[in-house]
Amino acid sequence: MDHVTEQHPTVKCLIWDLDNTLWRGTLLEGDEVEIPPAIRDVVVELDSRGILQSVASRNDHTHAWERLEKLGLAEYFVLPRIGWGAKSVSVRAIADELNFALSAVAFVDDQPTERAEVEFHLPDVRCYPAEDALSLPARPEFSPTVVTHDARRRREMYQAGFRRESERSEHSGTDEEFLRSLSLELRIEHAGDEEISRVEELTLRTSQMNATGVHYSDQDLRSLIADERHEVLVASLTDRFGPHGAIGVILLERRPDAHHIKLLATSCRVVSFGVGAALLRWLADEAARAGTTLTAAFRRTERNRMMEVAYRFAGFEDAPGRPDPAEDGVQTLLLEPSRQSAPPHLKVLAPRLFRPGRELIEWGTAEG
């Protein structure tokens, strides 16, 4: 059966059993378990494709995890569930914490009864026998069409996120104090070949923080990059825990009377870090430097109320008589910009707009 369908998309997380599946032997029986080199290669290959991996195993957690660390593979597994409960409970808990649909999760186990238990309680989870493990990288459901730079470090980003949220939950001060403690760095760069796929994905998948809901294809984006009247910018975020990856896209057009934001979209997962507001402040500052008005396309949808609030909070107002006739339902918002400064909790590195060169300058320095 072809596992890549509308109901069963590409696998986003593979969950491994341990005994006689990931490794050879049974740990509790005193076996000196080892991971075959070919299985190790599967783990590393799937990780390089951006497929997260976890563990659901009936074992003593401390003993099993120590063994994984000794074997040099513990770092590849997120949110392991090692204990004595039902495998289906462990698989569901992993999917829930990752916020993945069960249809994006797969499970591999050597025991038919364990696979049957998971299939009965979680019919959307795809289950594989241990003898199929070596063939998984060749299967279409484990072969993403495009593997972006962010995908290759997806595990690293999730692990950083877990550490970040753990510290946030233990932080006793204010939210502002916590944000300042993160050493956040926002980079705004011109999109190149490496970033195009991620930019396209952001325009397609981001709905709550997408100003127009318009999807720009790979071809659309490449044509805009080649047009000197446009800037295609991608924003990425890092902090002391690690990378957040590419989290925003700006499509900017230079018009005779304005810098026009054709699209602003940011990932919902960075709303609490004030990234959207920072991008709008930076755009306003650049427009003020250029002595031009800043306008923005906005189409109200059922889901992007947060983006409208961000524009209004930044000072954008309706621009009567300035509709964008090319796109039905799109209104034009207007801002008469003034010089702005970077938010105190963010270090912002960005280029100068519509100028030669792509050098990044720290916003707030003498040059930036």
Side-chain angles (χ1 to χ4, degrees):
M1 181 180 68
D2 183 358
H3 285 267
V4 181
T5 67
E6 191 170 317
Q7 291 75 31
H8 294 286
T10 302
V11 170
K12 296 172 68 175
C13 179
L14 173 63
I15 300 173
W16 293 81
D17 172 48
L18 293 178
D19 293 331
N20 295 307
T21 301
L22 182 72
W23 57 46
R24 295 293 175 260
T26 303
L27 191 64
L28 288 176
E29 293 179 0
D31 294 341
E32 188 65 21
V33 298
E34 294 292 341
I35 297 177
I39 291 291
R40 185 183 298 270
D41 289 345
V42 169
V43 172
V44 174
E45 175 60 26
L46 295 181
D47 182 75
S48 74
R49 299 180 186 183
I51 297 173
L52 298 179
Q53 295 169 89
S54 189
V55 170
S57 172
R58 295 182 190 275
N59 261 297
D60 175 77
H61 184 279
T62 301
H63 191 192
W65 193 249
E66 286 177 349
R67 188 61 186 168
L68 280 171
E69 290 180 324
K70 184 177 180 180
L71 292 167
L73 277 187
E75 65 181 298
Y76 287 93
F77 300 106
V78 302
L79 305 175
R81 294 295 190 275
I82 304 172
W84 306 109
K87 296 284 182 71
S88 63
V89 174
S90 296
V91 170
R92 181 182 287 280
I94 294 166
D96 287 348
E97 192 158 351
L98 290 172
N99 198 28
F100 286 175
L102 292 171
S103 60
V105 174
F107 174 63
V108 57
D109 197 297
D110 68 305
Q111 294 294 322
T113 53
E114 298 285 15
R115 298 196 302 273
E117 190 268 337
V118 171
E119 289 173 334
F120 178 80
H121 291 286
L122 308 173
D124 286 340
V125 172
R126 283 162 282 183
C127 297
Y128 302 86
E131 56 265 30
D132 286 357
L134 294 182
S135 70
L136 295 183
R139 292 174 176 260
E141 63 269 29
F142 291 90
S143 304
T145 304
V146 176
V147 180
T148 64
H149 176 67
D150 281 355
R152 289 192 289 273
R153 56 179 185 172
R154 182 164 289 138
R155 168 176 53 85
E156 180 186 355
M157 291 193 290
Y158 270 84
Q159 289 169 331
F162 299 145
R163 294 191 297 270
R164 187 181 302 112
E165 289 307 310
S166 175
E167 185 158 321
R168 181 194 288 269
S169 66
E170 297 173 359
H171 184 74
S172 59
T174 65
D175 288 343
E176 183 178 352
E177 289 171 339
F178 178 72
L179 289 178
R180 286 176 178 269
S181 77
L182 290 177
S183 301
L184 287 158
E185 181 177 290
L186 177 65
R187 296 175 68 91
I188 305 167
E189 302 175 90
H190 291 93
D193 288 341
E194 178 71 26
E195 293 82 23
I196 286 296
S197 294
R198 181 55 176 146
V199 170
E200 181 186 8
E201 183 183 23
L202 278 167
T203 72
L204 179 64
R205 302 187 61 172
T206 303
S207 58
Q208 291 182 348
M209 294 299 289
N210 186 320
T212 64
V214 175
H215 167 56
Y216 286 82
S217 68
D218 181 285
Q219 183 178 354
D220 294 332
L221 292 167
R222 292 184 188 279
S223 65
L224 291 174
I225 286 175
D227 184 346
E228 64 180 13
R229 296 171 303 166
H230 287 86
E231 301 267 22
V232 181
L233 303 160
V234 60
S236 60
L237 189 68
T238 60
D239 62 28
R240 61 185 171 87
F241 291 102
H244 295 255
I247 48 76
V249 56
I250 302 168
L251 305 184
L252 195 68
E253 179 184 6
R254 180 170 54 190
R255 294 182 173 178
D257 59 344
H259 284 177
H260 180 67
I261 306 170
K262 298 180 74 169
L263 175 70
L264 173 62
T266 64
S267 172
C268 297
R269 57 190 168 85
V270 295
V271 168
S272 62
F273 301 113
V275 169
L279 292 175
L280 287 172
R281 286 171 65 171
W282 173 73
L283 287 166
D285 189 57
E286 284 292 307
R289 287 175 184 269
T292 188
T293 298
L294 186 62
T295 60
F298 181 77
R299 177 193 280 124
R300 186 177 290 107
T301 71
E302 294 181 357
R303 302 200 64 194
N304 70 351
R305 173 63 178 164
M306 292 171 65
M307 182 59 79
E308 182 174 17
V309 169
Y311 271 121
R312 301 300 185 183
F313 189 77
F316 283 83
E317 298 178 347
D318 293 342
R322 299 184 68 164
D324 194 336
E327 297 182 72
D328 183 40
V330 175
Q331 65 184 112
T332 299
L333 305 180
L334 173 68
L335 177 71
E336 294 296 342
S338 58
R339 291 298 307 275
Q340 303 285 318
S341 58
H345 68 284
L346 272 175
K347 177 181 179 180
V348 180
L349 300 174
R352 303 304 302 272
L353 291 176
F354 297 112
R355 298 187 185 182
R358 299 192 168 202
E359 179 186 3
L360 299 188
I361 303 169
E362 183 177 350
W363 187 19
T365 63
E367 296 80 8

